[in-house]
Amino acid sequence: MNIIDNLKMAIFSIRSNKMRSFLTMLGIIIGISSVIMILGVGGGAKAYMMGSMEQLGNSTVTISVNSKNATDSDYLSLDDIEAIKQKVDHVKYISPQWNVFGSVSFKTKENDAMIYGGSNDFIYLAQTDMVSGRFFSEEDYLSARNVVVIDEMAAMKFFGNTNIAGMTIDVNLFGERAKLKIVGVAKSQTGGFYMDGMPFFLYMPVTTMMNIGSMEESLSSVYVMADDPAFTESMGNSARNVLEARHSNRGRDVYQVQSLMGQVDMINNMLNIITGFISAVAAISLLVGGIGVMNIMLVAVTERTREIGIRKSLGAKTGSIMFQFLTESAILSLIGGAIGLILGILGAHGISSIVSGLAGGKIVPAITMGHITLALGFSCSVGLFFGIYPAKKAAKLNPIDALRHE
């Protein structure tokens, strides 16, 4: 019997037991579709995140105070930031960043908030998009005006719309409550996704934060962006030299310069590990599907024992019998893999569309020919692997015993 005949018999057997064949393939379908969806959505989301971060990271450094080697006089002041701006070449944007957890309220409504303090350049370094109004200005920053930018989730919860420039809210910061004027609404860092209990995001001049808390100028980090990625490293080193000269602490390793690209690589590796782990967990269902294939093939051997005896009595070789059942198990798995692949691609596009809406950006599933080849090849391999035992059992049947089987 040639390959074509084996294929015809395998397809005939599958079509003769449609429901049983479908249930057998279900584990393969679920496993393949899950892996494809995870790889596709994970790859697309990673590409989207990395694209956004690399655009910023290629030209941005953080200069932070090494608390182990620093004294109180080594911490940064607003004058230090101005000195870097004036003395270091290729500085495009510079801003301190002071993150504080507090709360925000309007009338009877209140919510936790993550409050960011910085200069007017912070909007570029944080890559924050405005929904309405404006970001706080240089005059707001230098004069320490009581102004704030809130995110769209806070605007919708408190006011029901985002056109709220000129309204006021109460901010609880450092245990002090201050009334601030809203000058703009920024796009939420969580996109359109919000659950009760999640903090809102607020942005205000760091000078205003210092006034509210009656705190001295004592900053631990500053973000600096170069006007050209080629000068990022030299700009960061020059900025450190300026700070060491101003604080007379050269040689003590007080200030650390770190490119954001290092953080990008770290996040990229973490995402790869998470995606791989989840894919491995999803692939377990393929093993379950393979066991299902073995089970149904053992049933098929039992049901077709007389057929096997007749074929062997007519001269069919052991290898031919074994190949027939291997072909059937491989086709079952391959069809299941193809269906799972189609469902996985459709699911990846559907999930990516939902996530794009939440993230406020376009996420395209990253499904490559390698993924498709791997999925189909793996599903076929599962069928062959789990079909070996039933095929061997069929091939080793004694023809006389098989003919006597009822």
Side-chain angles (χ1 to χ4, degrees), residues 142-171:
L142 294 176
S143 303
R145 291 173 181 165
N146 282 5
V147 297
V148 66
V149 175
I150 68 175
D151 70 356
E152 57 185 328
M153 294 296 101
M156 292 303 298
K157 180 171 180 179
F158 289 156
F159 302 98
N161 67 86
T162 56
N163 296 313
I164 56 172
M167 302 292 290
T168 59
I169 57 171
D170 292 324
V171 176

Side-chain angles (χ1 to χ4, degrees), residues 134-145 147 205 207-208:
R134 64 174 177 84
F135 203 72
F136 59 83
S137 65
E138 184 176 11
E139 290 76 14
D140 295 330
Y141 166 68
L142 294 176
S143 303
R145 291 173 181 165
V147 297
T207 49
T208 304

Side-chain angles (χ1 to χ4, degrees), residues 290 293-295 297-298 301 321-323 325-330 380-396:
V293 170
M294 178 187 289
N295 179 59
M297 292 310 300
L298 287 172
V301 169
I321 301 293
M322 184 173 178
F323 185 70
F325 283 89
L326 278 177
T327 301
E328 188 170 330
S329 63
C380 190
S381 299
V382 166
L384 289 173
F385 178 78
F386 285 97
I388 288 175
Y389 175 70
K392 279 187 175 182
K393 183 177 179 180
K396 290 181 179 179

Side-chain angles (χ1 to χ4, degrees), residues 37-358:
M37 278 192 287
I38 291 168
L39 291 176
V41 176
K46 185 177 73 173
Y48 172 76
M49 292 174 60
M50 290 302 105
S52 300
M53 294 183 68
E54 284 176 3
Q55 184 179 359
L56 177 66
N58 277 332
S59 54
T60 304
V61 297
T62 64
I63 303 173
S64 56
V65 177
N66 183 356
S67 58
K68 293 180 180 180
N69 301 334
T71 62
D72 290 344
S73 63
D74 294 320
Y75 282 83
L76 310 180
S77 67
L78 299 180
D79 287 339
D80 289 330
I81 293 171
E82 188 62 28
I84 293 173
K85 196 181 214 179
Q86 298 298 325
K87 296 181 180 180
V88 177
D89 293 333
H90 303 294
V91 173
K92 186 176 183 180
Y93 301 119
I94 181 170
S95 174
Q97 180 172 319
W98 202 356
N99 304 340
V100 178
F101 197 73
S103 64
V104 57
S105 59
F106 177 72
K107 295 184 177 179
T108 59
K109 300 176 182 178
E110 186 171 5
N111 204 86
D112 292 334
M114 178 58 70
I115 305 168
Y116 292 95
S119 73
N120 51 292
D121 282 351
F122 186 75
I123 185 174
Y124 306 108
L125 294 161
Q127 293 188 315
T128 302
D129 296 323
M130 298 300 296
V131 176
S132 67
R134 64 174 177 84
F135 203 72
F136 59 83
S137 65
E138 184 176 11
E139 290 76 14
D140 295 330
Y141 166 68
L142 294 176
S143 303
R145 291 173 181 165
N146 282 5
V147 297
V148 66
V149 175
I150 68 175
D151 70 356
E152 57 185 328
M153 294 296 101
M156 292 303 298
K157 180 171 180 179
F158 289 156
F159 302 98
N161 67 86
T162 56
N163 296 313
I164 56 172
M167 302 292 290
T168 59
I169 57 171
D170 292 324
V171 176
N172 192 324
L173 185 65
F174 307 120
E176 300 290 335
R177 186 174 292 272
K179 189 174 291 292
L180 303 181
K181 177 182 177 182
I182 300 171
V183 295
V185 176
K187 194 168 187 63
S188 175
Q189 294 186 22
T190 59
F193 178 75
Y194 176 76
M195 292 179 60
D196 286 339
M198 290 178 60
F200 295 144
F201 295 90
L202 276 61
Y203 310 90
M204 68 173 66
V206 70
T207 49
T208 304
M209 294 178 69
M210 292 174 177
N211 275 354
I212 293 173
S214 301
M215 302 179 72
E216 298 179 359
E217 295 181 8
S218 181
L219 304 169
S220 59
S221 65
V222 59
Y223 283 78
V224 191
M225 177 184 283
D227 55 15
D228 188 326
F231 299 107
T232 303
E233 184 177 356
S234 60
M235 177 200 68
N237 292 332
S238 296
R240 177 172 54 195
N241 291 337
V242 168
L243 293 175
E244 289 176 342
R246 286 178 59 83
H247 291 266
S248 301
N249 55 22
R250 192 181 304 277
R252 287 172 42 208
D253 192 27
V254 173
Y255 304 114
Q256 298 176 329
V257 180
Q258 183 180 13
S259 169
L260 288 190
M261 283 307 297
Q263 299 178 25
V264 170
D265 291 338
M266 188 182 349
I267 293 173
N268 188 33
N269 292 334
M270 188 180 301
L271 288 174
N272 285 334
I273 292 172
I274 293 172
T275 302
F277 175 74
I278 297 175
S279 298
V281 172
I284 292 175
S285 60
L286 284 173
L287 299 179
V288 177
I291 294 171
V293 170
M294 178 187 289
N295 179 59
I296 206 64
M297 292 310 300
L298 287 172
V299 172
V301 169
T302 302
E303 290 179 343
R304 293 156 62 182
T305 299
R306 284 184 59 83
E307 173 194 325
I308 295 168
I310 293 171
R311 287 191 59 195
K312 295 194 79 170
S313 66
L314 293 175
K317 296 180 179 180
T318 299
S320 177
I321 301 293
M322 184 173 178
F323 185 70
Q324 176 191 343
F325 283 89
L326 278 177
T327 301
E328 188 170 330
S329 63
I331 289 178
L332 268 174
S333 298
L334 192 58
I335 293 174
I339 296 173
L341 177 62
I342 294 171
L343 293 178
I345 292 174
L346 294 175
H349 280 278
I351 294 173
S352 294
S353 297
I354 295 172
V355 175
S356 295
L358 296 177

